[in-house]
Amino acid sequence: MAGQRNGRTVHDLRRENRAAVLQRLYFEGPMSRFTLGPATGLSSGSISNVVAELVTEGWVEEAGSVESDGGRPRTLLRVAPGRGQLIGVDVGETRVRVELFDLSLSELARAERPLTLKGHDVGGIAEHIRDGIGEVLDAAGGADEGLLGVGIGVPGIVSRDGELGAVVHGQTIGWNAVPLESLLRETGQLPASVPYFIDNGAKTLGQAEMWFGAGRGTRNAVVVLFGSGVGACVVTEDVEQGRAVEWGHLTVRVQGRRCRCGALGCLEAYAGAEALLERWQEAGGRPPGGMDEESGLTAMLNAAYPESGAADPTALLVLEETAEYLGAGLSDLINLFQPERILVGGWAGLQLGQRFLTAVKRYIPTYALSYPAGRVTIGLGRLGPDAVTVGAATLPLADFFARGGRRAAPVREAEVPGWQTALEGRSTS
């Protein structure tokens, strides 16, 4: 067919060329037109045409110059950080965090809504997201014309439904097939031109660490998330964007403690922050009353590993047992996926890792096969407790790249069913 080559149209080739230039400039820029050619594999003519388009549209701008060998200085180019905006949302288990970023993922504004122990009512979460989006946009001037999309990280498995969009299966929080995208589209205030991207929170954490953090340059990695619960994201050469795995619901003890998901003996029933505090109390410890989970975990760690004075033997025993459970759980990931690197993240993971990651590593030789165990490095993530939010913002950014710098097509009103109808007959909270 005229205008096609190997099944790809001229439009496809142009989109791919634009995507290649944008991604090189984003991750490796500033770069000159001269260096963009070898980096992307495009001809000088293609580079000239693509760059001219992107500069005219405002996605690319000049960023100084560099001396050349005997000729005129070469102009450097970069993706214009102020040309567009991204929103990342972390639907955590203790709070909903909403952040507005520019294209360089520099934070422009944030809003947070704490959650109670029974705080995952579907309508309430949607309201927190909607209000948080409005708050950060107001803080940045109120305009949404430059908003490329809203990325949302959630606890649970996310599937796609042709009519409903993203559907969340969050068993630990009581969500059974919740059509979150449809709900947000109907009740939110954003125009139809702004897309939503919803995925598992461990996957968004993994994508953030692989793009910008401790996983950068690694081809095979596992990024684990510790919060109230436990999750993981596996990145391989076959799955570059990562795949969320329900690692927290791996059975580590037959007929063990009952997990929040209802099963017995899950890793999350021993290693999640909620379970750690419960186990401390069940063993006879005395967690300080009136504290949220984050403060309670800090108190437990301080009791077990005091800067001075005697350690709380109960807290120390629970954490030492947990180190073995985690060592065994990480060994399963090593045996299954043989990663180059395992990164520990999430607010609880960063707290725990700083204090007893060395103890966890001691159990790897006991439970993992020696060959893959000898090739893996285990460390902490670099992006801090906000990594899920940053990773959520990369979801619309990745879509923007894939489209070659084109905006997503608006969602037509007829494509969005009422969420009450969609939820009929389903358990939601």
Side-chain angles (χ1 to χ4, degrees):
M1 182 181 295
Q4 291 191 346
R5 184 184 305 166
N6 298 327
R8 293 183 298 171
T9 67
V10 172
H11 176 77
D12 292 333
L13 292 171
R14 180 175 296 176
R15 183 188 68 246
E16 291 168 7
N17 291 347
R18 286 168 59 101
V21 169
L22 281 170
Q23 290 183 76
R24 287 290 180 176
L25 289 178
Y26 190 85
F27 291 105
E28 301 176 24
M31 300 175 70
S32 68
R33 292 171 177 83
F34 181 79
T35 54
L36 269 172
T40 60
L42 300 177
S43 68
S44 59
S46 294
I47 289 293
S48 179
N49 291 335
V50 170
V51 168
E53 286 182 5
L54 294 172
V55 169
T56 299
E57 295 169 14
W59 297 117
V60 169
E61 65 184 14
E62 294 184 359
S65 61
V66 63
E67 294 295 329
S68 63
D69 296 332
R72 294 185 304 172
R74 294 193 177 104
T75 300
L76 295 176
L77 303 166
R78 67 173 183 177
V79 174
R83 178 65 175 84
Q85 297 175 336
L86 308 154
I87 286 179
V89 180
D90 176 10
V91 179
E93 293 173 311
T94 60
R95 65 169 58 83
V96 173
R97 177 183 291 122
V98 181
E99 294 186 60
L100 178 69
F101 303 93
D102 66 14
L103 281 184
S104 69
L105 287 180
S106 295
E107 182 186 304
L108 303 176
R110 74 161 55 195
E112 292 193 358
R113 300 289 188 276
L115 299 177
T116 66
L117 292 177
K118 302 296 182 182
H120 285 88
D121 169 73
V122 175
I125 293 294
E127 183 178 359
H128 286 326
I129 295 173
R130 181 194 65 207
D131 291 349
I133 289 172
E135 184 175 329
V136 297
L137 288 175
D138 287 345
D144 55 34
E145 290 85 358
L147 187 59
L148 299 181
V150 178
I152 304 172
V154 296
I157 299 169
V158 180
S159 64
R160 300 290 307 179
D161 183 288
E163 294 183 356
L164 302 176
V167 177
V168 183
H169 309 268
Q171 191 164 327
T172 59
I173 59 172
W175 284 17
N176 177 22
V178 170
L180 184 60
E181 182 177 349
S182 176
L183 166 59
L184 293 172
R185 180 64 65 190
E186 183 179 85
T187 62
Q189 303 301 313
L190 293 177
S193 59
V194 178
Y196 289 94
F197 302 87
I198 301 172
D199 215 324
N200 178 272
K203 180 178 175 181
T204 71
L205 169 69
Q207 185 153 298
E209 287 289 350
M210 295 301 290
W211 279 26
F212 306 109
R216 196 165 185 188
T218 305
R219 292 185 176 183
N220 298 286
V222 177
V223 183
V224 297
L225 183 156
F226 288 94
S228 297
V230 179
C233 172
V234 177
V235 180
T236 67
E237 293 180 337
D238 296 328
V239 190
E240 293 182 4
Q241 300 301 322
R243 180 178 75 250
V245 293
E246 292 296 329
W247 178 56
H249 302 290
L250 180 80
T251 302
V252 294
R253 187 168 182 175
V254 176
Q255 297 298 320
R257 287 171 52 85
R258 187 168 297 280
C259 180
R260 298 183 302 168
C261 73
L264 297 176
C266 294
L267 176 62
E268 185 170 298
Y270 295 90
E274 179 180 317
L276 275 171
L277 294 173
E278 288 177 354
R279 289 172 58 216
W280 185 21
Q281 187 169 20
E282 290 166 4
R286 297 179 180 178
M291 286 187 172
D292 59 28
E293 279 186 7
E294 294 186 35
S295 300
L297 184 59
T298 300
M300 182 180 187
L301 288 166
N302 289 337
Y305 307 110
E307 293 183 2
S308 61
D312 178 332
T314 306
L316 185 59
L317 176 62
V318 170
L319 287 171
E320 288 178 346
E321 289 176 347
T322 302
E324 183 167 8
Y325 283 121
L326 287 176
L330 292 179
S331 295
D332 287 331
L333 293 174
I334 292 169
N335 292 340
L336 285 169
F337 302 108
Q338 300 181 27
E340 300 171 45
R341 196 172 298 175
I342 293 178
L343 302 174
V344 177
W347 65 266
L350 295 174
Q351 282 199 50
L352 290 168
Q354 292 170 358
R355 300 293 186 95
F356 83 144
L357 188 57
T358 300
V360 173
K361 292 179 183 179
R362 285 201 295 267
Y363 289 100
I364 301 299
T366 303
Y367 295 101
L369 295 170
S370 59
Y371 179 71
R375 300 175 68 227
V376 69
T377 60
I378 302 174
L380 297 179
R382 293 179 185 165
L383 300 182
D386 293 349
V388 172
T389 319
V390 175
T394 68
L395 300 178
L397 181 60
D399 179 76
F400 175 70
F401 287 149
R403 293 176 182 277
R406 305 293 190 189
R407 293 179 180 274
V411 177
R412 296 190 301 272
E413 184 175 350
E415 295 175 337
V416 183
W419 72 277
Q420 293 92 341
T421 301
L423 288 175
E424 186 174 338
R426 307 182 190 204
S427 171
T428 59
S429 64

